[in-house]
Amino acid sequence: MADVGEVLMSVLSTIRVPKPGDRVHKDECALSFSSPETEGGLYVCMNSFLGFGSQYVERHHARTGQRAYLHITRTRKAKKEDDNSSGSGHPPKKKPTRLAIGIEGGFDVDQDQYEEDVKVVILPDRQEITSENLANMPIVVKERVSLSMAGIMAADSVSHTLQVQQWDGEVRQESKHAVDLKQLDNGVKIPPSGWRCEICELQENLWMNLTDGRVCCGRRYFDGSGGNNHALLHFQETGYPLAVKLGTITPDGADVYSYDEDDMVLDSKLPEHLSHFGIDMMTMEKTERTMTELEIAVNQRVGEWEVIQESGTTLRPLFGPGLTGMKNLGNSCYLNSVMQVLFTVPDFQSKYVSNIDKIIDEAPSDPTQDFKTQVAKLGYGLLSGEYSKPAPDPGDENASSEPRGDQVGIAPQMFKALVGRGHAEFSTNRQQDAQEFLLHFINMVERNCRSGENPSEAFRFLVEDRIVCQQSQKAKYTQRVDYIVQLPVPMDQATNTEELQEAERRREEGDSSAPTVRAQIPFTACMAVLCEPEVLTDFWSSAVQAKSTATKTTRFASFPDHLVIQIKKFTFGLDWVPKKLDVSIDVPDTLDLSALRATGQQPGEELLPEVAPPPLMTPDVEVKGILGSHGNDEDDSLYSPLLSPVLDDATVSQLCEMGFPLESCRKAVYYTGNTGIDSAMNWIMSHMDDADFSAPLVLPGCSSGPGNTPTESLSEEHLATIVSMGFSRDQATKALRATSNVLDRAVDWIFSHLDDLESMDVSEGGRSTAESEAGREPPPGPRVRDGPGKYELFAFISHMGTSTMCGHYVCHIKKDQQWVIFNDQKVCASEKPPKDLGYLYFYRRVPE
């Protein structure tokens, strides 16, 4: 042991004890999905606290010179039978009793018990030192090494902290309406039992409004159970905010929901509020499951086959390269589905998986924070087959009776943390929209592939908008970049209208046995709506120097290698409540879009003059001015003082009546060019999380004012980032000023406002739809691939639930002419792929 002691003494200065704030990666390799449970265990550097699998620890040692590593291995304990066993030889898992994670009674994210072996390993000779060996070491060595070992083992690992953010779904806040709640003296008295929905006669999931005593059914859950939303509709009609769930009232309390605050709440005056309608809390007994119990039940069954479309068949599990499952980290199925599909695209495989050795060799000192490294790690984990192995027997007595397809799989914790960092939604454990995440990830790829191979080019295409003034018959052409085709759903084109009407009639009559009928919409009808000209009723024509009616036609200026089609299932009802359209669309296996190719300016066709419209004015707001047709950001001499844009007061009023701040409504109408309530509402919904959402409207060109960011205060780092993406400094400045100096929003803004960057110099990566000077060649546009518009379907992502904010995602991918379903950790051969119920469809070009 003397030699080992000398070696430890020589590396003692490099061995650190973790301090508060140190990131300790003791559960997952920084470069692979190796862990203490996988073969070879995990080696934690005792200096940087990064973890490495056995295949990468030598590489880290050679690169950094670090020699001391804490080697952690875990093996599953054999489960012992006890008196409470169900007969399978295994004790039953303790069922959760609280809607919580990481606290007593909540969901246990790691109920499996392991035996752990820990020792220090000194490279390159792999000399091993156990805790027992340290007893014979010099005191200085023993103390430092023991403290480091204990500190690493006691620290919360980064992956565990991300997975188990202690959360209690039962902690509720006092409602702001509770103290001064208005209750009507309408003589309503509620009996202690025998309740029914006053609209549809439903006898379960009933809520009593605490203002007027109206009893209505609750919301429909994502799996089809629940009510018919009548309690919610009653709130929308009356504005009465609080309701109590009948059947949950006991002397200890009840479930109270605030529709205005959109959450379960506490009502400190609940006994008084119930007494108003003749209900004595002290004599009530619980007869229905609380919302917490219902949510627990839903969370427990969300991964089961009965909530996905292929529940009626026994599916054959698949294992091997490209057939690797992904663990659900808590509502991360949207991420799992998108990444499974992306890594079937050759561009992503070539960029990240084929070059993984080079990427790892060039990784920074902390690869956990490097985008390219973590994407490559994820891609290799999905495609290599190393983690596509059957999961250990969970001890379920039914496990042997039905093959479920569960795999060891991979847990994309580092990846999820990195791509979600700083994002208001993707950094949380809440459910998200798969389409929004796809665009978010493509945006990150764009930023991180400023030079060299860019796999997002596989999806990038140009759209041509042709606007024709109906008065002068002159045209205007613009082009913009896009990545997804959003396909509208014309509900009035359903082929089974009579069945739908009959089912609706029976539901309105309270017939609980009325079947659920799904609208059958032809794909050709969706395409027809996409292609038909849009009428612009408030178009300012530069040819006639006045407002005119115009038609706008959209076509493909290029066809991408891979085409993504989003079915616009998520929309708003007449009351602006988000809803999902329950439709079946006969999406084809092959697609020919050749007829939709843009043709550009036609022979003999005159173009609209490139003349800016005059500034429109209203005297209600004083601002410094608006750029005239020849003005510029540096010269105020041509500003028109005391001007403000004319805004459609009716649209602003409509938005305000929905509860949105006045300034937000003004901005929505302004930035959508007075084009109507629909476009203004869409603007509001996509900007509600903006930091300056309620800030006063400040026009471009104003050098100061609320919500405006002076050029001198812009972040040079943000400017440099956008410039490095191929845009000019002027363009970067304009984007940052328009988005209050928020980098993520500025990048989104600049890609969605390429047409607004006319007359500005554009470097590679940018584009302009008009020459900035007469006789000057237009700058190069973004790199887009082009080819025939013929495609074949190779993947689709499906969503189950009533909203993108809840429910579950799975994806189907065609591999070697066989459809495969990826449902988190379950990977199986698909028997009946539900191609008519998808949300996102992925096509690839058919080679000629």
Side-chain angles (χ1 to χ4, degrees):
M1 291 302 298
D3 290 343
V4 175
E6 291 175 5
V7 171
L8 267 180
M9 182 65 77
S10 68
V11 300
L12 197 62
S13 62
T14 67
I15 295 178
R16 295 175 53 227
V17 178
K19 302 174 184 176
D22 280 338
R23 299 164 57 87
V24 179
H25 298 272
K26 64 177 183 179
D27 285 338
E28 182 182 350
C29 173
L31 302 173
S32 72
F33 290 96
S34 297
S35 70
E37 293 85 39
T38 57
E39 185 177 354
L42 192 72
Y43 294 81
V44 180
C45 174
M46 300 180 76
N47 181 270
S48 66
F49 308 123
L50 292 170
F52 298 95
S54 56
Q55 72 273 45
Y56 289 117
V57 65
E58 296 277 4
R59 188 190 301 238
H60 183 257
H61 159 67
R63 183 171 179 179
T64 64
Q66 295 297 330
R67 299 180 61 193
Y69 296 83
L70 190 65
H71 185 212
I72 308 173
T73 57
R74 297 193 193 113
T75 55
R76 192 185 304 271
K77 291 180 181 178
K79 294 186 177 181
K80 299 178 181 179
E81 187 173 351
D82 66 8
D83 295 336
N84 295 321
S85 173
S86 61
S88 63
H90 303 283
K93 289 184 177 181
K94 186 177 180 181
K95 289 189 176 181
T97 58
R98 293 179 63 84
L99 184 63
I101 295 177
I103 65 175
E104 181 65 26
F107 286 89
D108 186 353
V109 297
D110 191 7
Q111 290 184 334
D112 294 317
Q113 299 297 312
Y114 292 91
E115 291 179 347
E116 206 163 49
D117 181 64
V118 180
K119 57 195 171 190
V120 177
V121 175
I122 306 296
L123 295 183
D125 298 326
R126 291 188 176 268
Q127 294 165 290
E128 299 181 355
I129 301 101
T130 64
S131 298
E132 291 76 14
N133 299 144
L134 286 175
N136 302 320
M137 300 283 178
I139 187 69
V140 63
V141 173
K142 180 170 67 174
E143 286 188 355
R144 171 68 71 84
V145 177
S146 296
L147 285 172
S148 180
M149 292 176 67
I152 291 173
M153 298 308 298
D156 285 333
S157 70
V158 173
S159 61
H160 189 264
T161 301
L162 294 172
Q163 181 184 6
V164 187
Q165 298 173 350
Q166 181 169 308
W167 166 74
D168 191 344
E170 296 181 49
V171 175
R172 298 171 183 172
Q173 304 298 319
E174 176 78 6
S175 171
K176 64 183 181 182
H177 302 289
V179 175
D180 300 315
L181 183 70
K182 176 184 177 182
Q183 290 192 286
L184 304 183
D185 291 322
N186 54 10
V188 172
K189 298 298 178 184
I190 305 299
S193 61
W195 312 297
R196 292 174 182 268
C197 174
E198 297 181 24
I199 298 175
C200 68
E201 297 292 313
L202 200 66
Q203 299 181 48
E204 59 184 15
N205 190 20
L206 299 175
W207 296 76
M208 184 193 77
N209 192 285
L210 289 173
T211 294
D212 62 1
R214 187 79 181 269
V215 176
C216 297
C217 59
R219 305 187 196 220
R220 183 173 297 277
Y221 308 134
F222 77 88
D223 61 352
S225 61
N228 294 313
N229 297 321
H230 289 141
L232 173 62
L233 292 173
H234 181 61
F235 159 71
Q236 291 165 353
E237 292 169 358
T238 64
Y240 301 155
L242 299 185
V244 61
K245 186 176 186 185
L246 297 176
T248 67
I249 304 171
T250 70
D252 297 323
D255 275 357
V256 179
Y257 190 83
S258 172
Y259 290 100
D260 179 53
E261 296 160 284
D262 195 21
D263 205 353
M264 301 297 296
V265 295
L266 296 177
D267 179 1
S268 57
K269 290 191 172 184
L270 184 60
E272 176 185 329
H273 293 154
L274 292 173
S275 177
H276 181 83
F277 296 107
I279 299 176
D280 183 359
M281 274 185 65
M282 303 310 294
T283 63
M284 297 297 290
E285 293 183 0
K286 178 172 170 287
T287 60
E288 280 220 1
R289 289 191 292 179
T290 65
M291 294 306 294
T292 294
E293 291 167 338
L294 287 168
E295 289 189 59
I296 289 173
V298 168
N299 276 281
Q300 285 181 306
R301 70 174 187 266
V302 72
E304 297 175 351
W305 291 107
E306 48 261 45
V307 298
I308 65 173
Q309 280 84 352
E310 296 190 61
S311 58
T313 56
T314 299
L315 301 178
R316 175 171 55 89
L318 298 176
F319 305 95
L323 298 169
T324 304
M326 297 174 71
K327 293 181 181 178
N328 193 316
L329 306 178
N331 289 323
S332 64
C333 51
Y334 68 91
L335 178 149
N336 293 353
S337 296
V338 169
M339 298 314 299
Q340 289 281 13
V341 174
L342 288 183
F343 273 106
T344 64
V345 176
D347 295 79
F348 283 87
Q349 296 175 356
S350 172
K351 173 72 176 182
Y352 295 108
V353 182
S354 301
N355 297 323
I356 189 166
D357 289 333
K358 182 174 183 291
I359 291 172
I360 289 176
D361 285 339
E362 296 174 352
S365 57
D366 185 358
T368 68
Q369 303 301 301
D370 182 60
F371 179 80
K372 186 189 296 185
T373 303
Q374 291 307 310
V375 177
K377 168 184 165 180
L378 178 68
Y380 182 81
L382 291 175
L383 299 181
S384 67
E386 290 182 11
Y387 309 98
S388 181
K389 302 172 183 177
D393 181 2
D396 184 349
E397 63 178 341
N398 296 318
S400 60
S401 63
E402 180 181 347
R404 296 166 53 198
D406 292 68
Q407 294 188 4
V408 172
I410 59 177
Q413 290 158 334
M414 285 186 188
F415 174 81
K416 183 177 185 295
L418 186 62
V419 298
R421 186 175 59 194
H423 192 281
E425 292 298 332
F426 299 128
S427 60
T428 71
N429 283 336
R430 295 190 292 268
Q431 184 63 278
Q432 305 298 335
D433 186 341
Q435 180 258 1
E436 290 181 2
F437 177 75
L438 173 61
L439 290 179
H440 171 72
F441 181 72
I442 287 177
N443 197 352
M444 295 193 75
V445 172
E446 293 278 10
R447 293 186 216 173
N448 286 275
C449 297
R450 298 163 190 156
S451 60
E453 185 182 1
N454 183 348
S456 66
E457 291 177 11
F459 299 108
R460 188 191 298 159
F461 61 95
L462 286 177
V463 175
E464 179 184 276
D465 291 326
R466 177 176 180 259
I467 300 176
V468 178
C469 168
Q470 294 301 292
Q471 190 169 341
S472 66
Q473 290 301 307
K474 295 182 179 180
K476 174 183 180 181
Y477 290 86
T478 59
Q479 288 188 348
R480 54 186 167 84
V481 172
D482 215 333
Y483 296 89
I484 293 179
V485 175
Q486 293 186 310
L487 200 61
V489 180
M491 295 298 290
D492 58 343
Q493 298 294 311
T495 58
N496 58 337
T497 306
E498 292 183 2
E499 294 177 53
L500 291 168
Q501 292 174 344
E502 173 63 17
E504 181 63 24
R505 182 188 65 77
R506 291 175 61 180
R507 278 195 298 271
E508 290 176 353
E509 293 175 354
D511 184 352
S512 58
S513 64
T516 299
V517 180
R518 181 173 290 118
Q520 308 287 330
I521 311 293
F523 182 80
T524 52
C526 300
M527 291 299 298
V529 175
L530 177 71
C531 301
E532 67 184 12
E534 176 186 357
V535 177
L536 307 178
T537 58
D538 204 21
F539 176 73
W540 190 87
S541 171
S542 58
V544 298
Q545 290 291 299
K547 283 187 178 182
S548 171
T549 300
T551 57
K552 175 182 172 183
T553 307
T554 300
R555 293 292 184 266
F556 290 89
S558 68
F559 288 118
D561 288 350
H562 292 76
L563 182 72
V564 185
I565 295 179
Q566 176 197 14
I567 305 297
K568 295 179 69 175
K569 290 187 173 185
F570 299 99
T571 183
F572 294 93
L574 296 176
D575 51 5
W576 292 104
V577 175
K579 67 175 184 178
K580 177 182 174 181
L581 302 178
D582 188 15
V583 294
S584 169
I585 300 176
D586 58 338
V587 176
D589 289 317
T590 59
L591 200 58
D592 187 352
L593 301 178
S594 303
L596 299 183
R597 182 177 286 278
T599 56
Q601 184 178 358
Q602 300 299 297
E605 183 178 53
E606 284 190 67
L607 297 181
L608 285 165
E610 290 290 340
V611 179
L616 302 175
M617 295 167 282
T618 185
D620 60 340
V621 177
E622 273 194 16
V623 295
K624 180 177 177 182
I626 300 176
L627 285 174
S629 58
H630 303 288
N632 56 66
D633 285 348
E634 288 76 28
D635 182 7
D636 286 349
S637 61
L638 295 176
Y639 285 2
S640 301
L642 303 181
L643 302 182
S644 175
V646 170
L647 301 179
D648 184 346
D649 291 337
T651 304
V652 174
S653 298
Q654 278 184 273
L655 294 172
C656 288
E657 288 171 2
M658 296 176 193
F660 299 110
L662 172 61
E663 288 300 330
S664 306
C665 302
R666 289 172 55 80
K667 284 194 284 189
V669 175
Y670 173 76
Y671 286 118
T672 55
N674 284 334
T675 53
I677 185 69
D678 288 343
S679 54
M681 188 65 191
N682 289 335
W683 187 95
I684 281 184
M685 299 307 294
S686 61
H687 290 79
M688 287 183 68
D689 294 330
D690 293 358
D692 60 347
F693 178 65
S694 302
L697 170 64
V698 178
L699 302 176
C702 299
S703 60
S704 62
N708 206 36
T709 307
T711 303
E712 58 269 18
S713 68
L714 297 178
S715 164
E716 282 297 326
E717 182 181 353
H718 291 356
L719 284 168
T721 298
I722 297 177
V723 169
S724 67
M725 297 171 67
F727 296 98
S728 69
R729 185 177 177 87
D730 287 343
Q731 291 174 327
T733 298
K734 184 173 183 178
L736 287 168
R737 291 181 65 185
T739 56
S740 301
N741 200 28
V742 179
L743 179 59
D744 285 353
R745 288 180 51 215
V747 173
D748 292 338
W749 186 95
I750 205 167
F751 276 108
S752 61
H753 289 74
L754 292 173
D755 290 332
D756 296 340
L757 303 179
E758 295 180 5
S759 79
M760 301 183 71
D761 292 335
V762 185
S763 57
E764 185 177 359
R767 50 180 285 280
S768 174
T769 59
E771 297 179 11
S772 58
E773 295 176 15
R776 181 175 174 182
E777 287 297 320
R783 287 189 295 269
V784 292
R785 304 171 189 174
D786 199 4
K790 296 181 179 181
Y791 295 93
E792 62 180 358
L793 183 68
F794 74 92
F796 61 95
I797 294 174
S798 305
H799 173 268
M800 290 154 287
T802 58
S803 155
T804 55
M805 299 297 104
C806 68
H808 187 55
Y809 287 97
V810 300
C811 68
H812 287 73
I813 304 175
K814 200 171 189 179
K815 292 178 176 283
D816 299 325
Q817 302 306 308
Q818 164 70 57
W819 282 101
V820 179
I821 181 171
F822 292 80
N823 182 21
D824 293 334
Q825 281 176 266
K826 300 178 179 70
V827 180
C828 297
S830 173
E831 298 294 333
K832 299 177 182 177
K835 289 181 284 187
D836 61 323
L837 302 179
Y839 174 48
L840 297 175
Y841 292 87
F842 295 79
Y843 286 84
R844 58 188 163 215
R845 195 194 315 277
V846 177
E848 288 188 317

